[in-house]
Amino acid sequence: MGIVTASLSISVDGYVGSADEGQWWPVHERLHQWVFDLRSWRARQGMDGGVDSVSSQIVEDEFANAGAYVMGRDMFDFGEEPWGDDPPFRAPVFVVTHRERETLRRQGGTTFTFVTDGVAAAIERARASAGDRDVRLSGGASVVRQAIAAGLLDELNLHQTPVLLGAGVRLWDDIGPQWREMEPTRAVAGDGVTHLTYRFTRDA
Amino acid sequence: MGIVTASLSISVDGYVGSADEGQWWPVHERLHQWVFDLRSWRARQGMDGGVDSVSSQIVEDEFANAGAYVMGRDMFDFGEEPWGDDPPFRAPVFVVTHRERETLRRQGGTTFTFVTDGVAAAIERARASAGDRDVRLSGGASVVRQAIAAGLLDELNLHQTPVLLGAGVRLWDDIGPQWREMEPTRAVAGDGVTHLTYRFTRDA
């Protein structure tokens, strides 16, 4: 059986985005700058070429291992138009939202199913769809935080971008006051990014 | 000429200590657990034995490269008694404080000089004492933050302990709102710790 994993681009000071509308786009671009030119990333967007590197392999593996995705509504709203008819997921995606909506079926195997009863329910449905593969939380911060706080996350992939932003949306707010022990399973220097993987120790 | 560098043990969620008196000691122990059994660390405390590892070498190099130290008063107050007559620094230490006090001379080359005109002045005096070697900021968080905010830090060594603490003293508060670009120069998996080194890009 697969695990529940999350992947986030994050600044060294722990920010995964900006809460300031005028800064939102430049912060997003800076945090994800490492990914845009990778061959594996471009291939998922239907583009040729790009850089082959350890980072490209890591991104390829993340996509390949994911049997289903969970994401927040803000991320879906942001992506719906640019992802177009052939989104990069090619697997079932469960969107955590308060708005009911019919399931969307796209080319390449991507479906968007809207789940109105919370993160835990979305993860449960994704597990049922993922078969032997992993459930991957794509963000935003709120979905990942809730999964950590509820003890539902098995693994955390932090793609650490070498910048201090000094302000923004912190991943590490409201994850609960109890200590959570982890095991470091990967520390890899990429090109303009450091890939850090942690496994949560099951204490429940 | 040497650089100005800082070394901190930090949780994955960015905490370097606890503000809660009852949690202070357990948090300190957890964050620094990786260091206590290392051969190089023990040698600096006058003890034989211990573990030889990549982490031990990193700690040895940090001590060897430091020609002078800067620390905050809380850290000095905490260490003064346990460090005893032969503190591990074996070099001049400049303590940032509001209280005037005469310089203390200890065995092995350690001196403690009390600087009452701020972090920048303490770094300046440490530079003058360090010769060709580095100035190392040993903490606490406030000294490191002030050095980052003032653009005085060249390098940051984060010894990332694999735990989420959920609360405590954050290194990343009040470091200023401007982005600071860095270059990742080391990502090494130690035993129960990940050693991350970043160089600041000089933009001034």
Side-chain angles (χ1 to χ4, degrees):
Chain A
M1 195 166 119
I3 60 170
V4 179
T5 182
S7 293
L8 290 151
S9 292
I10 187 167
S11 71
V12 173
D13 52 347
Y15 296 106
V16 294
S18 177
D20 172 350
E21 208 171 311
Q23 282 293 91
W24 193 92
W25 186 253
V27 165
H28 177 83
E29 290 276 290
R30 179 64 194 92
L31 288 175
H32 296 87
Q33 189 179 307
W34 65 276
V35 83
F36 299 127
D37 289 334
L38 302 179
R39 178 183 292 273
S40 61
W41 177 262
R42 291 175 57 87
R44 280 277 169 166
Q45 324 298 318
M47 294 184 285
D48 290 333
V51 178
D52 270 324
S53 63
V54 63
S55 298
S56 185
Q57 187 61 53
I58 283 170
V59 167
E60 185 167 330
D61 291 346
E62 285 190 354
F63 277 119
N65 294 340
Y69 294 80
V70 173
M71 69 177 60
R73 197 202 73 188
D74 286 348
M75 184 168 167
F76 172 77
D77 284 348
F78 166 67
E80 183 176 6
E81 200 181 299
W83 289 328
D85 293 332
D86 186 12
F89 307 103
R90 304 179 190 166
V93 179
F94 296 86
V95 181
V96 181
T97 177
H98 295 294
R99 297 177 305 194
E100 307 242 0
R101 185 168 170 183
E102 271 188 35
T103 295
L104 305 176
R105 289 173 204 289
R106 300 290 194 236
Q107 294 168 26
T110 301
T111 56
F112 293 104
T113 301
F114 299 88
V115 178
T116 55
D117 46 355
V119 169
I123 290 174
E124 196 52 43
R125 293 185 63 179
R127 268 195 184 285
S129 294
D132 287 340
R133 291 198 288 161
D134 297 342
V135 172
R136 180 172 157 204
L137 312 189
S138 299
S142 168
V143 164
V144 176
R145 271 186 218 133
Q146 289 179 62
I148 292 173
L152 295 173
L153 200 63
D154 296 307
E155 183 187 88
L156 188 54
N157 288 284
L158 300 173
H159 304 300
Q160 198 174 54
T161 300
V163 65
L164 300 179
L165 295 179
V169 177
R170 273 190 163 120
L171 179 57
W172 310 119
D173 281 327
D174 305 315
I175 56 167
Q178 85 279 30
W179 294 11
R180 297 294 312 271
E181 291 290 336
M182 304 188 289
E183 187 191 344
T185 55
R186 182 171 64 185
V188 170
D191 191 13
V193 64
T194 304
H195 305 285
L196 303 170
T197 302
Y198 287 96
R199 278 288 184 122
F200 284 94
T201 308
R202 282 275 167 206
D203 48 17
Chain B
M1 195 167 120
I3 60 171
V4 180
T5 181
S7 293
L8 291 151
S9 293
I10 187 167
S11 70
V12 174
D13 52 348
Y15 296 106
V16 294
S18 177
D20 171 350
E21 209 171 311
Q23 282 295 89
W24 193 93
W25 186 253
V27 165
H28 177 84
E29 291 276 291
R30 180 63 194 91
L31 287 176
H32 296 86
Q33 188 178 308
W34 65 276
V35 84
F36 299 128
D37 290 334
L38 302 180
R39 178 182 291 272
S40 61
W41 177 262
R42 291 175 56 88
R44 280 277 169 164
Q45 325 295 320
M47 296 183 285
D48 289 333
V51 178
D52 269 323
S53 62
V54 63
S55 298
S56 184
Q57 188 60 52
I58 283 170
V59 167
E60 186 168 329
D61 291 345
E62 285 189 355
F63 277 119
N65 294 340
Y69 294 81
V70 173
M71 69 177 60
R73 198 200 72 187
D74 286 348
M75 184 168 167
F76 172 77
D77 285 349
F78 167 67
E80 184 176 5
E81 200 180 300
W83 290 328
D85 293 333
D86 186 11
F89 306 102
R90 304 178 191 166
V93 179
F94 295 87
V95 181
V96 182
T97 176
H98 295 292
R99 298 176 304 194
E100 306 241 359
R101 184 167 169 184
E102 271 187 36
T103 295
L104 304 175
R105 289 173 202 290
R106 300 291 195 232
Q107 294 168 26
T110 300
T111 57
F112 293 104
T113 300
F114 300 88
V115 178
T116 56
D117 45 355
V119 170
I123 290 175
E124 197 51 44
R125 294 186 63 178
R127 267 195 185 286
S129 293
D132 288 340
R133 292 197 288 160
D134 297 342
V135 172
R136 181 174 156 203
L137 312 189
S138 299
S142 169
V143 164
V144 177
R145 270 186 220 134
Q146 289 178 62
I148 293 173
L152 296 172
L153 201 62
D154 297 308
E155 184 187 88
L156 188 54
N157 289 283
L158 300 174
H159 305 299
Q160 198 175 54
T161 300
V163 65
L164 300 179
L165 295 179
V169 177
R170 273 190 163 121
L171 179 58
W172 310 118
D173 280 328
D174 304 316
I175 56 167
Q178 84 279 32
W179 294 11
R180 297 296 312 270
E181 290 290 336
M182 304 189 289
E183 188 190 343
T185 55
R186 182 171 63 185
V188 170
D191 189 13
V193 65
T194 304
H195 306 285
L196 303 170
T197 302
Y198 286 96
R199 278 287 184 122
F200 283 94
T201 308
R202 282 274 167 207
D203 48 17

